[in-house]
Amino acid sequence: MAQAADRDDPVGRIRMNVKVRAFRTEDLSAVHPVETGLFGREALPRFAFAQLLDMVHDGFQVAEVDGKVVGYVVAVRKDYRAEPTVLTSAMLPIPGHEHLLPRLTAAATVAAANAYPVGVSGTPDQPAETLGYCVRRFRVDDVESLFEVELSAFGGEPYPRRLFRSLAVLGDGYFVAERLDERRAPEVVGYLAAFRDTNDQKLGWVMSMAVHREHQDRGVGTRLLAAAEKYFADNGCREVMLTVDPQNAVALHLYEKRHYTAIEMHIDHHGLKLSRLLMRQHSYVDQYVAPTRPLDIRPDNRSGSTRQDKGQLPERRTGLQTWWR
Ligand SMILES: CC(C)(COP(=O)(O)OP(=O)(O)OC[C@H]1O[C@@H](n2cnc3c(N)ncnc32)[C@H](O)[C@@H]1OP(=O)(O)O)[C@@H](O)C(=O)NCCC(=O)NCCS
């Protein structure tokens, strides 16, 4: 929902060209410095913006001053009855343009109000299961332990606590795995953030999942993914999509085991110089549908390498670089 540019300055001091419009791929490199300048270590990584671009559409708006991006707002709705909520935002201070953030917020919330709801309530918590792990919905007091999981699983560039707190407003698609031990308080060991596409009510996204290193390879990831797929199916989604680093052998194994099939190879995902494999699972509603394209993408061994037959997947752009989320 782009709005017309204006040259009016509310206090009549500096005349600048101000524009509020929907976020585009090419804004990724401009938005990230704004974010890091304002939030430092709590800044969302660039990849998180790429994910929001895929999932939130026009609810993701930017403000431009004289052609330079100076701020952004991401607004979503928890369900079709709810008022739009600002998931995350950042705005550089522009003297004489203090009205810009409210204007940008208004544009994002109006766009969010017109889009399909992100999450509809109604998924029951998963019951406690065998092997001492259970999957339940996220609670706000999970943020600290969840951040520990994030650091343990992703190391270098974790999503900040701020993002986990924001995602909590969409609570019902947000799962954590807990280790249950009679001798200790339950411990959060994994999470999965599921997100419903704001334009397509039949499409769900696995935004991020992680299991603490000490608890990996014990079926926790499989259980989190199953909980998310059930959530999507219960809410009318007919397919689930995600992107994964093609070198991430464990994640690839897990997704293929749950019948996700690779549909596109992005070798410069949203211009971020990251290679990502786009995968899709037709949900329980349709049952698993055999891939229509011949694919050969599977882990060669357990050391983390991945074999790809070039030319079997549609490729986009150039500039291969490894990524691990
Ligand atoms: C990916 C991740 C969430 C999986 O969680 P998990 O609890 O370890 O998953 P599970 O135990 O349910 O399943 C792991 C599967 O990978 C298999 N596996 C383990 N090591 C492997 C390797 N090196 N290569 C291929 N498969 C491997 C396991 O045998 C198991 O498969 P199986 O059930 O058929 O035996 C977890 O490894 C993690 O947090 N990784 C770092 C963060 C990450 O990559 N997140 C996903 C981003 S898209």
Side-chain angles (χ1 to χ4, degrees):
M1 83 136 40
Q3 291 181 5
D6 65 49
R7 293 202 65 89
D8 68 303
D9 174 57
V11 291
R13 283 177 296 198
I14 318 154
R15 294 184 69 80
M16 291 188 278
N17 195 336
V18 178
K19 193 191 272 187
V20 170
R21 59 165 173 79
F23 183 86
R24 299 190 292 251
T25 296
E26 54 270 30
D27 297 323
L28 279 168
S29 54
V31 151
H32 193 243
V34 174
E35 173 81 358
T36 46
L38 288 169
F39 293 109
R41 288 165 61 87
E42 280 292 294
L44 268 57
R46 287 194 312 160
F47 182 66
F49 287 109
Q51 288 186 299
L52 291 169
L53 170 64
D54 284 337
M55 300 184 304
V56 175
H57 312 288
D58 284 356
F60 194 164
Q61 296 271 320
V62 292
E64 254 183 39
V65 172
D66 287 343
K68 189 168 173 266
V69 171
V70 295
Y72 78 89
V73 171
V74 177
V76 294
R77 279 195 303 172
K78 180 175 173 177
D79 64 46
Y80 66 93
R81 293 173 297 261
E83 290 300 312
T85 310
V86 172
L87 188 67
T88 176
S89 69
M91 172 68 77
L92 295 175
I94 311 286
H97 283 269
E98 289 73 21
H99 68 295
L100 196 47
L101 183 57
R103 176 173 155 187
L104 181 59
T105 305
T109 49
V110 167
N114 291 333
Y116 190 80
V118 168
V120 178
S121 59
T123 312
D125 286 353
Q126 304 296 304
E129 294 183 39
T130 53
L131 294 175
Y133 292 99
C134 76
V135 172
R136 63 163 172 79
R137 289 204 197 120
F138 170 86
R139 294 191 303 254
V140 174
D141 62 1
D142 290 326
V143 166
E144 277 308 316
S145 22
L146 215 140
F147 187 67
E148 291 300 314
V149 170
E150 178 79 357
L151 278 178
S152 156
F154 287 114
E157 202 172 349
Y159 282 170
R161 293 174 179 82
R162 207 178 115 245
L163 180 61
F164 291 120
R165 264 184 230 110
S166 296
L167 287 171
V169 299
L170 311 174
D172 56 352
Y174 195 177
F175 298 97
V176 300
E178 262 185 344
R179 169 86 168 123
L180 303 173
D181 185 328
E182 285 171 354
R183 293 157 300 177
R184 288 188 287 180
E187 178 193 0
V188 171
V189 299
Y191 79 88
L192 187 151
F195 208 99
R196 296 183 63 204
D197 192 286
T198 59
N199 273 7
D200 181 354
Q201 57 179 304
K202 305 273 185 221
L203 173 62
W205 288 90
V206 175
M207 180 180 180
S208 185
M209 74 180 293
V211 173
H212 194 288
R213 275 178 193 279
E214 287 172 19
H215 297 269
Q216 288 178 3
D217 213 3
R218 298 182 195 180
V220 176
T222 305
R223 233 174 260 184
L224 281 164
L225 197 51
E229 288 160 3
K230 180 174 185 313
Y231 159 78
F232 286 134
D234 286 351
N235 285 284
C237 291
R238 296 178 74 88
E239 57 181 32
V240 182
M241 290 177 71
L242 54 85
T243 70
V244 60
D245 179 347
Q247 305 292 324
N248 189 337
V250 181
L252 272 178
H253 176 88
L254 178 57
Y255 299 145
E256 286 176 348
K257 196 176 73 175
R258 304 245 1 127
H259 306 305
Y260 289 77
T261 55
I263 53 173
E264 267 177 17
M265 178 68 180
H266 298 183
I267 58 176
D268 186 12
H269 187 62
H270 287 308
L272 292 176
K273 304 267 190 292
L274 304 172
S275 54
R276 302 293 293 180
L277 196 60
L278 181 66
M279 301 186 88
R280 177 176 60 197
Q281 184 218 50
H282 287 276
S283 75
Y284 297 144
V285 182
D286 281 333
Q287 290 299 329
Y288 172 56
V289 179
T292 49
R293 294 188 186 98
L295 298 174
D296 188 3
I297 297 175
R298 65 177 70 106
D300 268 344
N301 52 45
R302 300 231 151 187
S303 66
S305 69
T306 306
R307 178 160 55 90
Q308 297 174 33
D309 273 7
K310 282 210 157 103
Q312 291 188 323
L313 288 171
E315 286 191 352
R316 286 191 178 174
R317 303 182 204 149
T318 52
L320 188 67
Q321 187 176 314
T322 303
W323 186 253
W324 31 253
R325 180 173 292 278

